[in-house]
Amino acid sequence: MDSRITYRNIYSQLISGFRSNSVSSEVMAPKQPNTGLFVGLNKGHIVTKKELPPRPADRKGKTSKRVHFVRTVIREVAGFAPYEKMITELLKVGKDKRALKVAKRKLGTHKRAKKKREIYGISFI
């Protein structure tokens, strides 16, 4: 059991070292172009970079105009869910932390709850 704890401690220290990014905070020098020689620091055949068209995956997550319109119409017709009404009431009273807790319980993650609280906080305060 002791060996497992020490391995965990070593692993956590190793991961925290990777996450600190002390090296990446410094600005690195730009890559030098290849010389055309097959030896040396900048060895390699000289090529021109090919301009690629944008990939469909680059558009992932972006809502289209039609989807945005449909969602706004549904929101107008259906209104707010009961938990959303509770969140807005809590934000009106000034209980931000309680609103976050309610949103987290209903939505499942802290990140989603913060986003929802931010949306209703801007629109109702």
Side-chain angles (χ1 to χ4, degrees):
M1 185 166 175
D2 292 330
S3 63
R4 194 168 68 188
I5 292 171
T6 56
Y7 285 136
R8 186 175 294 157
N9 291 341
I10 292 170
Y11 180 74
S12 65
Q13 289 174 357
L14 182 68
I15 294 299
S16 66
F18 284 137
R19 288 184 183 157
S20 67
N21 292 337
S22 60
V23 176
S24 64
S25 63
E26 300 171 4
V27 178
M28 294 179 66
K31 187 181 180 307
Q32 297 295 320
N34 291 344
T35 57
L37 302 174
F38 68 94
V39 290
L41 286 175
N42 304 315
K43 64 183 178 182
H45 188 71
I46 298 173
V47 295
T48 56
K49 273 294 226 186
K50 191 174 168 184
E51 285 295 323
L52 298 173
R55 300 174 67 183
D58 295 339
R59 293 190 307 269
K60 183 179 178 182
K62 186 178 184 303
T63 55
S64 63
K65 293 178 197 172
R66 183 172 187 273
V67 170
H68 181 69
F69 173 71
V70 168
R71 286 180 183 165
T72 54
V73 169
I74 290 172
R75 176 58 61 143
E76 288 175 13
V77 173
F80 293 104
Y83 83 93
E84 292 174 330
K85 290 178 186 173
M86 192 187 331
I87 290 170
T88 56
E89 289 300 319
L90 288 168
L91 289 172
K92 284 179 187 175
V93 175
K95 296 191 173 187
D96 295 347
K97 189 170 183 180
R98 186 71 198 155
L100 183 69
K101 283 185 175 186
V102 169
K104 186 175 183 293
R105 191 176 73 236
K106 291 294 182 181
L107 296 172
T109 65
H110 186 69
K111 193 173 184 179
R112 289 176 186 167
K114 285 197 309 187
K115 189 175 180 182
K116 185 70 81 169
R117 182 182 66 170
E118 189 67 31
I119 290 168
Y120 292 132
I122 291 169
S123 61
F124 289 103
I125 292 177

